[in-house]
């Protein structure tokens, strides 16, 4: 397997340590334990060698957004990686979410629920993605429609609802998103009462490179950090 240069490895580990320290501090400020927060390294567009460098440093949770890209990487990397599917999923691709997917963060609409419910025959853990700022350009169920989608997943034989995911607007000052994080925290409190197995509800996925500290302050259990770990993404050829 190809590996990164020593220089790149040192840079990646330096970033990982920096993020780790910030998570520790954010947990402390929120009177939470460090082990209440899982760092997901969002590896979309980044190469297998960089993922391996983080893997060797102990990271086991990685996030991918595109089915084919994930499949290619998954085939080349160790089996004990917990793969998080965080991207927009086309219904016709739902059958590709095999047992190797640890958690789907992006169940965002009832048509995708129908497709997953039809094609998935193993137990698949899912989060419902909430369009918390009601942005027309973003995926996610609206806050108003959330309960209806929860009811559906609640009836499913194979999909197991574990919590909620949010992708708030991109803003330069994360403070602007504070009301959205508050809204997610409050929805998360309501959720257990809406399902048959309230004990399954334990995951709140929110917070990215720019705002994970604020997310931790509002109860995030899973933060999804890409750029601050891997560096900028290159979507070019
Ligand atoms: C790409 C992506 C991230 C990571 O974003 P960064 O700003 O690079 O940390 C997190 N969540 C989702 C859903 C993403 O698509």
């Amino acid at each position: 397997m190809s590996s990164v240069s020593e220089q790149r490895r040192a840079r990646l580990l330096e970033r990982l340590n920096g993020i780790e320290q910030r998570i520790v501090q954010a947990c402390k400020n929120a009177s939470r334990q460090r082990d209440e927060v899982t760092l997901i390294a969002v590896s979309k567009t980044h190469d297998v060698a960089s993922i391996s460098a983080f893997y060797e440093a102990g990271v086991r949770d990685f996030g991918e957004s595109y089915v084919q890209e994930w499949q290619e990487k998954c085939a080349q990397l160790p089996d004990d990686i917990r793969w998080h599917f965080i991207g927009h999923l086309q219904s016709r691709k739902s059958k590709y979410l095999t047992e190797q997917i640890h958690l789907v963060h992006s169940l965002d609409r009832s048509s995708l629920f129908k497709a997953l419910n039809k094609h998935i025959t193993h137990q698949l853990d899912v989060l419902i993605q909430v369009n918390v700022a009601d942005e027309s350009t973003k995926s996610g169920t609206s806050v108003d429609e959330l309960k209806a989608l929860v009811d559906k997943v609640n009836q499913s034989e194979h999909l197991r609802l574990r919590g909620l995911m949010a992708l708030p607007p991109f803003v330069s000052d994360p403070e602007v998103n504070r009301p959205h994080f508050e809204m997610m925290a409050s929805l998360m409190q309501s959720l257990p009462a809406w399902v048959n197995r309230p004990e399954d509800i334990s995951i709140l996925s929110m917070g990215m490179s720019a705002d994970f500290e604020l997310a931790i302050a509002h109860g995030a259990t899973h933060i999804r950090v890409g750029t601050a770990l891997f560096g900028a993404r290159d979507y070019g050829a």
Side-chain angles (χ1 to χ4, degrees):
M1 192 188 297
S2 62
S3 59
V4 290
S5 70
E6 280 319 304
Q7 196 184 359
R8 165 98 170 138
R9 184 184 304 276
R11 187 81 186 91
L12 292 176
L13 297 188
E14 189 187 315
R15 291 201 192 108
L16 179 61
N17 287 333
I19 297 292
E20 177 57 31
Q21 282 169 25
R22 287 168 58 190
I23 296 171
V24 167
Q25 189 59 49
C27 287
K28 211 174 188 177
N29 293 347
S31 304
R32 301 180 64 196
Q33 301 294 320
R34 168 65 187 90
D35 66 6
E36 291 174 40
V37 177
T38 300
L39 170 64
I40 299 172
V42 175
S43 47
K44 65 180 186 225
T45 79
H46 296 292
D47 58 15
V48 165
S50 300
I51 298 174
S52 294
F54 284 131
Y55 179 87
E56 284 158 19
V59 179
R60 291 293 177 273
D61 292 271
F62 291 90
E64 289 283 339
S65 295
Y66 309 100
V67 170
Q68 195 186 343
E69 181 185 341
W70 164 67
Q71 289 173 321
E72 285 166 12
K73 290 173 176 174
C74 180
Q76 299 171 63
L77 284 156
D79 286 340
D80 63 342
I81 287 182
R82 290 181 290 268
W83 291 107
H84 297 258
F85 193 85
I86 64 173
H88 178 75
L89 184 66
Q90 291 168 276
S91 294
R92 63 186 173 83
K93 295 199 172 159
S94 55
K95 58 178 178 286
Y96 299 116
L97 299 188
T98 59
E99 276 100 332
Q100 283 153 305
I101 293 285
H102 176 69
L103 179 64
V104 177
H105 293 231
S106 45
L107 174 52
D108 60 356
R109 58 196 192 280
S110 62
S111 58
L112 177 59
F113 165 76
K114 274 188 206 139
L116 284 168
N117 201 40
K118 183 169 167 197
H119 292 292
I120 299 294
T121 54
H122 60 286
Q123 178 173 283
L124 180 65
D125 281 0
V126 300
L127 305 179
I128 292 180
Q129 179 176 350
V130 181
N131 187 353
V132 69
D134 224 353
E135 295 170 278
S136 58
T137 54
K138 280 258 175 77
S139 310
T141 187
S142 68
V143 172
D144 294 343
E145 291 161 352
L146 175 61
K147 185 145 190 314
L149 189 52
V150 169
D151 286 344
K152 286 183 183 158
V153 184
N154 194 35
Q155 308 294 326
S156 168
E157 190 185 343
H158 297 294
L159 303 186
R160 179 165 73 160
L161 184 63
R162 302 301 312 279
L164 302 175
M165 183 270 230
L167 187 59
F170 293 103
V171 289
S172 51
D173 176 10
E175 275 300 319
V176 176
N177 279 331
R178 184 178 282 271
H180 301 315
F181 288 118
E182 285 170 354
M183 170 64 100
M184 290 304 295
S186 128
L187 293 172
M188 192 64 187
Q189 286 210 318
S190 309
L191 194 57
W194 297 351
V195 298
N196 295 335
R197 290 181 310 276
E199 65 277 14
D200 288 349
I201 304 297
S202 60
I203 301 181
L204 179 54
S205 167
M206 61 185 191
M208 315 192 345
S209 292
D211 57 11
F212 67 84
E213 282 132 326
L214 196 59
I216 289 172
H218 290 88
T221 64
H222 288 59
I223 58 173
R224 310 178 308 264
V225 178
T227 311
L229 285 170
F230 289 92
R233 284 182 288 275
D234 181 2
Y235 287 97

